Amino acid sequence: MGDATSQGVAQRRRRSKPGRSEKYELRPRSRTSMGSRVYREDLEEEKHPAFTWEVKANDRAYNNQFKKKVFPCWQRKKHKAIPEISTLPWFTLFTPLVCLLSIRATRDLLDDIGRCRSDRTINNRPCQILMGKSFRWKKWKNLRVGDLVCLHKDNIVPADLLLLASTEPSSLCYVETADIDGETNLKFRQAPAVTHHELTSIWSMASFQGKVVCEEPNGQMHHFVGCLEWKGKKYPLDSGNILLRGSKIRNTDACYGLAIYTGFDTKIMKNCGKVHLKRTKTDRLMSRLVALILLSLVLISLVLTFGFWYKVGEFKAKLAHSIATEAFTIFWSFLILLSVVVPMALFITAEFVHLGNSTFIGWDVHMYHAAQDMPAEARSTSLSDQLGQVQHVFSDKTGTLTQNVMTFNKCCIDGVVYGPDEEETPREENPYLWNKFADGKLLFQNAKLLEAVRGNKNKTVREFWRLLALCHTVMAQEKDNQLLYQAASPDEEALVTAARNFGYVFLARTRDSITVLELGEERVYQVLAMMDFNSVRKRMSVLVRNPEGSIYLYTKGADTVIFERLHKKGMTEWTTGEVLASFAEQTLRTLCLAYKEVGEGAYEEWRQRHQEASVLLRNRAPALHQLYEEMEQGLQLLGATAIEDKLQDGVLETIKCLKQGNIKVWVLTGDKQETAVNVGFACQLLSENTVILEEEEIVRVLEACQESDHLLSGEGLRRSRALKHAKVAMVISGDFLDQQLLSLHKEPRALVLQGRDPDSHEGPEVRRERAFVELASQCQAVICCRMTPQQKALIVALVKKYQNVVTLAIGDGANDVNMIKTADIGVGLAGQEGMQAVQNSDYVLAQFHFLQRLLLVHGRWSYMRICKFLRYFIYKTLASMTVQIWFAFYSGFTAQPLYEGWFLALFNLLYTTLPVLYIGLFEQDVSAEQSLQLPELYIAGQKDELFNYWVFFQAVVHGTATSLINFFMTLWVSRDSAGPLSFSDYQSFAVVVALSGLLSVTMEVILTIKYWTVLSVLAVSLSLCSYVVVTWACQSFWLFKISPKTFPFLYADRNVLTHPSILLVVLLNVSLNTLPVLALRIICQALKKPRPKKEAEEAPGEEIITAEPVPCMHRESRARRSSYAFSHREGYADLITQGTILWRTPGVSSDLLAGHTIPRDEELPSSAKESPWCSRKMSFLGRRGHQHGGRASSAAIQPPSVVSSSLTVGGQDNHFSLHKDMATATNAPSRSLQEELPVRRERSLSLEQRSCSPCDSLSPAEDRPLSPRGRGQLPPSESQSQLLGQLSSESWPAPLKGKMSP
């Protein structure tokens, strides 16, 4: 993608470092091995970049002074004129050359225009940039380093920004990075504390003069180190403060950022790679063959020149120049004469063939997606035949294989499975009408389960749904009288929404409480501790005290960890295990739910130890995890949930069909391993009896191959054969590959070029890479998870380097762009992750299952057509043009042409063009339906069976034999003949040979075509008619009068064709050329034995497994596998328990924000009330007069106590907190707070105690937000109003304290 932003502006000044620049500037640029010293120095520099990138806010003059000046320069080449030594007319060679150059120039121009349009679409996206003292709508291309940008919900980040502030508590900002790393869960970023407190208005941002000093632009997606210099102080910055380009703002009304990297300097663009010229295998083979033909012509010209040297000896006296000079001229004359043998017109016709096949892809109605109103599109017109030779498909997961939609599908409670009701007719009445909080988007309905829930008699059912409503990190908010959930992952949102529909509605939360509406009864649970989820624990727990005072622990997680911590394992647990196995077979994502009651004494003892562990300076995390482990023992199983990560339509059938066509599918994703493996089973890339290689085993194999000179020999060869017969898969992470293969730090294109360099030394690192690729290629499935965009591209480059196969990459996000560019064929899906992949792809599809038809139908047809086209074109060119060689022996080696000049010029461009075009565009060996039913036919293209050196040699022999027959049979018949019926004169002889050659190649095309239609008949007929018409015109008298030298063959064809005996000679030549070839093909077809059908999957032989066990570990020792998968990120529980994620100061009013519009290219109003930032800090001022609308009882305040990192006791907070809805009920009826919420045992806190600690929080009852049902609140007492004002004014920033004074 081309960003105008990066042109010049993105180039920055590098600070000079003594000794370092010389070290790297003077090193040689030759290729080195991967283990060389120079490469390791580059790698070290990448790991420890110099902090020389300076960005100053709101100062374009300062940033522009480091811009590098780039001047375009052109290199001009001077061409000298060549003496006229050709015996051919000028148009004979000039016409095909001009046509070829014009067509290719037009094709490249159209491709460049398409790329320019795509770049313009991105560069013209709107964004709000601070200009002066207001935000104006500008285009992305106008964004510069140091500019301040305002972003709103669902906006795409235009550059790598330093988050300065947001409307969320503590200036948090939630982003979705599915377009960058493929993960569907939300990530949070936080602004530095200094900018959060200081930049509270547009005026403060306009006067912001901070300078960011950070590392040079690089492609490390998850790494950033820098510092902010402002007002004489330095503040550290890391990746948690950076919003990466391509991410999308979620659950955040507005945020503000400083542009650090723009254009091609952004991290995602650094990972996108460069645009490389892609050529097909057939195209590269033809280039080598053309070079071989040229070399042959040079040798033949030398031989004929020696013949001239020998023959001209008797004419020495009549020569104007010396024999050497004449021989030199004759050599070039022969070379120009025989250059017609070079199939220049082949490249011209091939352009039309590629264009036509690409157009047919877009016309295919079976690849049209009506939902998106999008057909398939071929953005590249030169790769269609390579679609029929693909051996490796590298696919993204999120948005490519899956729909990125999580749905609650089934559940198991106390051993009973509840699935969706199956009814022939849909329900007319919504079963959730009794619940006003029910979400209509939930499609799961089960009448039996709903009856059990509403009956409220089964304790297990009650605790099951209560757990789903309590154990999560979802945030609730009210908007337009609707309850909305903000979830960190789609999994959690699906589970909480399911509990909501079944009557257990999560209403609100504070740092120490959760409010749940259980079947119409509002209950408040005190949160005592939250034990967060991570990839090691694979579970999440919440410790709560219910309104009755009992303490319960609720846990959800993977079945492998929950079952190990159960108190007992009886029939219910055994039944649930079988149900989980059934869910796994259905490829559903499962979670087990369990709980237990905790005694008061046990909790107090555990709390004390937890408090001590939370303040440790060393090994704090392991100590806390050990305490979590102790608490999460002796659980009682409640059941399991099953969420469906929906695959796209037809994914399963497509992958199965591709595997039958010997196409290997590798999944390269940035998502977690559990999710990737679950999708692998859903796509049937993995099965229950699949053996997954462990990373330790892979390391041992790589180390053994690194030490050995031969990759697979002896023992390794035996293990390799065992792997081929067994169902083996490889599931690895990007970190593992980064540690094992140093080449993953290189640029993909350089890696491929080094692999093609014959002089490159194969060191131990190269052997290690080759061993890894061969080991992975022997596996039936390879899944790479947690991959960066550059790692994806380098995996593709490794396979191209060592396997020499055609690769195809398919994806839909910006994180797939580099992979798409590196692969031989890039396919972009028009999905939900933007259009970056589409704009950098060669082919565009709407759905993954269209890939099956793209490869097996269009790809195989295109390859078969282009191979037939090439073989026939080479044959017909040699059959007609090599006659010039034989004629040289009878013309005194004078380089005189045999044919008429117009016949030479139009033979390939007109006389034989239409049949060749028909073969290249419409030829079919089997129908589209048969191609899909027989994927095995695709293997022929993978093995290059239809066109290779042997096929080329056959075409050369066949064409040479045809030319020999046409020339010498005509010469033998016309020998010693005279009279009116004789055709021994030069022109008549040339006409007979030319006509014999034209009819012979026409008969060959008739035998070649298998798919006869009206178009094929017209193609053959029109070609012959064009010869008749053009020949009649060129040999007419009126053209002869105009230019006798240009049209010398006056009535030559008419004189020859009027004699039947001469026509018999032509018929004899055609018969001798056709009948033996036809007989030979019939005999070969009869002798060719049909191949026996191979079974789809061969069972491994016992002798192989018993003789040498497969050197890897089975996925599980037990029969059942875990289908656990949960998209969640560690850290949200800490944000909740520490209060960071909750409102500490009154938040931005959604109404004010909704009404806040910024006009394009116009100055914003200077009024503070129209700025979301003024709303964020001054919303409390606007409500000051309505503080009487909510009363907080002094009895509701509890004494403060010690707080740990993940434990909350007594509900104290370190900052003032007031919910934004407390001022909404100004006319609410007066009633006590005790009537609103259940009251816990509390102690009063005097005003003196509160005033001595102004940063202490309000009580849990005050801090707890009210339910979104809009109930009123009592006004607080006057003393408490003063207290609130005192506390709030002390906690406000200095600029606002003056505005608070009356």
Side-chain angles (χ1 to χ4, degrees), residues 893-1161:
F893 301 99
T894 57
Q896 179 184 0
L898 172 64
Y899 298 129
E900 181 188 9
W902 288 104
F903 182 85
L904 290 174
L906 300 178
F907 177 78
N908 284 324
L909 290 180
L910 184 61
Y911 300 157
T912 58
T913 299
L914 293 181
V916 172
L917 278 177
Y918 180 85
I919 292 177
L921 294 176
F922 304 105
E923 176 66 356
Q924 297 179 16
D925 52 351
V926 294
S927 63
E929 292 74 16
Q930 292 175 326
S931 296
L932 295 175
Q933 294 172 1
L934 300 173
E936 296 81 6
L937 297 175
Y938 191 84
I939 301 177
Q942 297 174 342
K943 296 182 178 180
D944 298 328
E945 292 182 355
L946 300 185
F947 190 78
N948 47 45
Y949 286 105
W950 173 243
V951 175
F952 171 75
F953 178 74
Q954 291 178 348
V956 170
V957 172
H958 188 191
T960 304
T962 301
S963 66
L964 286 171
I965 292 175
N966 289 334
F967 181 82
F968 286 102
M969 282 300 300
T970 305
L971 181 64
W972 179 70
V973 173
S974 63
R975 192 173 185 179
D976 298 331
S977 63
L981 298 181
S982 174
F983 52 93
S984 58
D985 63 286
Y986 164 67
Q987 291 188 355
S988 300
F989 182 83
V991 167
V992 172
V993 175
L995 185 59
S996 300
L998 179 61
L999 294 179
S1000 297
V1001 298
T1002 303
M1003 288 301 301
E1004 176 65 20
V1005 79
I1006 292 175
L1007 297 178
T1008 302
I1009 296 176
K1010 293 184 178 180
Y1011 183 65
W1012 280 91
T1013 61
V1014 177
L1015 290 177
S1016 59
V1017 176
L1018 288 176
V1020 175
S1021 303
L1022 291 177
S1023 295
L1024 296 177
C1025 292
S1026 65
Y1027 170 78
V1028 174
V1029 173
V1030 174
T1031 301
W1032 174 82
C1034 292
Q1035 298 180 5
S1036 61
F1037 181 72
W1038 62 279
L1039 287 180
F1040 176 79
K1041 288 196 308 180
I1042 296 174
S1043 178
K1045 292 183 178 181
T1046 307
F1047 306 97
F1049 280 60
L1050 179 63
Y1051 298 137
D1053 272 45
R1054 182 187 303 179
N1055 295 333
V1056 171
L1057 297 178
T1058 54
H1059 302 289
S1061 59
I1062 299 179
L1063 294 179
L1064 289 177
V1065 175
V1066 174
L1067 179 62
L1068 175 63
N1069 292 338
V1070 174
S1071 301
L1072 292 176
N1073 288 324
T1074 304
L1075 294 180
V1077 175
L1078 180 61
L1080 182 62
R1081 291 178 180 176
I1082 294 176
I1083 294 173
C1084 293
Q1085 192 69 22
L1087 296 178
K1088 188 177 180 180
K1089 297 181 180 179
R1091 297 180 180 177
K1093 294 185 178 181
K1094 298 182 180 180
E1095 298 181 1
E1097 293 182 356
E1098 295 181 358
E1102 294 185 1
E1103 68 279 3
I1104 295 179
I1105 296 182
T1106 55
E1108 176 61 35
V1110 178
C1112 49
M1113 188 188 75
H1114 284 274
R1115 177 180 175 80
E1116 294 290 345
S1117 57
R1118 48 193 164 89
R1120 180 179 64 82
R1121 74 170 180 90
S1122 173
S1123 59
Y1124 156 78
F1126 191 59
S1127 297
H1128 195 70
R1129 183 187 176 187
E1130 183 180 10
Y1132 280 92
D1134 290 338
L1135 291 178
I1136 293 173
T1137 56
Q1138 295 171 9
T1140 306
I1141 201 172
L1142 304 175
W1143 291 100
R1144 301 189 182 191
T1145 56
V1148 175
S1149 171
S1150 59
D1151 297 333
L1152 290 177
L1153 188 63
H1156 174 70
T1157 58
I1158 303 178
R1160 292 177 181 267
D1161 295 327

Side-chain angles (χ1 to χ4, degrees), residues 1272-1285:
Q1273 301 172 352
L1274 287 178
S1277 62
E1278 183 178 354
S1279 61
Q1280 287 191 348
S1281 299
Q1282 297 174 356
L1283 173 62
L1284 294 179

Side-chain angles (χ1 to χ4, degrees), residues 830-851:
Q832 302 176 355
E833 299 184 18
M835 300 294 290
Q836 289 90 337
V838 169
Q839 292 160 353
N840 290 273
S841 63
D842 304 309
Y843 296 90
V844 180
L845 300 178
Q847 293 285 298
F848 180 83
H849 68 90
F850 293 149
L851 184 65

